[in-house]
Amino acid sequence: MTPEDPRAARTRAKLRRALLEECAERPLEDLGVAALVRRAGVGRATFYVHYADLEALAVDACADVVRDAVEALHAWRGRPDPMSAPPALLAFFAELTPQAALYRTLLSPGGGGPLGRVLHRDLRARSLAERTLAGAPDAPLVASAVAATFAGVLADWLHGLLEGTSDDIAHQVWQLLVALHRSR
């Protein structure tokens, strides 16, 4: 793998930061490339060198939420408490609030949408790798179920289809995921 050009990395970081700042002030659907590149201090052509459109930038800017979710679900060692979510998962749900509107735009109810697809793909891959390494039965089936359950619950909670505090939802989704792992 070729190392990334530091200038390109800095430009993408500026664009991601500008997008998050803009989305703190207005919904993604109301944002234009002109305002974004102005805030980022880059040219419009530079934007299109790095991203096809605002949605692609938004998914990239929100990719950290995917990495954080995957890590939070796997941040325990030993035998998990089936009733209490690990601290990392509690923190993950609590930290979603500042950008909840942006996540709702990219993560449709049920766990679909561009961010949902990334979340499902990455979570399924991590779950599959861990279950395969452990020699667990039906690794592909359970990995798919874990990814779909987590993405769906997260999206439905963000869209107000599930009631509860961030802690309530973290504990409830944890219990579901533990049950899935134990089911096979």
Side-chain angles (χ1 to χ4, degrees):
M1 184 176 201
T2 329
E4 183 177 29
D5 178 355
R7 293 171 300 174
R10 280 191 301 273
T11 299
R12 280 194 297 281
K14 282 182 191 179
L15 289 165
R16 287 190 301 266
R17 191 170 35 258
L19 178 102
L20 294 174
E21 290 168 0
E22 287 287 329
C23 285
E25 298 170 9
R26 67 176 74 62
L28 179 63
E29 54 272 7
D30 293 346
L31 183 61
V33 172
L36 178 80
V37 296
R38 214 175 10 260
R39 184 178 283 243
V42 301
R44 190 177 185 94
T46 300
F47 171 85
Y48 288 108
V49 165
H50 297 282
Y51 298 102
D53 54 27
L54 285 172
E55 184 179 278
L57 169 59
V59 170
D60 186 37
C62 293
D64 285 341
V65 78
V66 171
R67 285 186 287 279
D68 291 348
V70 171
E71 290 308 313
L73 286 171
H74 295 88
W76 53 272
R77 292 293 170 248
R79 192 168 187 87
D81 178 346
M83 298 308 289
S84 297
L89 188 60
L90 292 166
F92 166 77
F93 274 93
E95 292 168 2
L96 289 174
T97 306
Q99 295 296 333
L102 178 58
Y103 300 143
R104 278 191 298 274
T105 300
L106 300 171
L107 189 62
S108 59
L115 190 59
R117 287 188 294 275
V118 173
L119 177 60
H120 187 276
R121 179 198 66 213
D122 291 0
L123 186 52
R124 185 183 186 284
R126 175 77 177 266
S127 183
L128 180 60
E130 289 193 3
R131 289 190 62 82
T132 301
L133 185 62
D138 295 325
L141 174 68
V142 174
S144 289
V146 164
T149 298
F150 184 79
V153 168
L154 173 63
D156 286 357
W157 178 65
L158 286 170
H159 283 277
L161 300 174
L162 296 174
E163 291 185 19
T165 67
S166 61
D167 281 1
D168 294 338
I169 295 299
H171 288 303
Q172 291 168 3
V173 77
W174 178 252
Q175 291 165 17
L176 286 170
L177 297 177
V178 168
L180 283 170
H181 278 284
R182 290 183 173 170
S183 68
R184 299 297 303 172

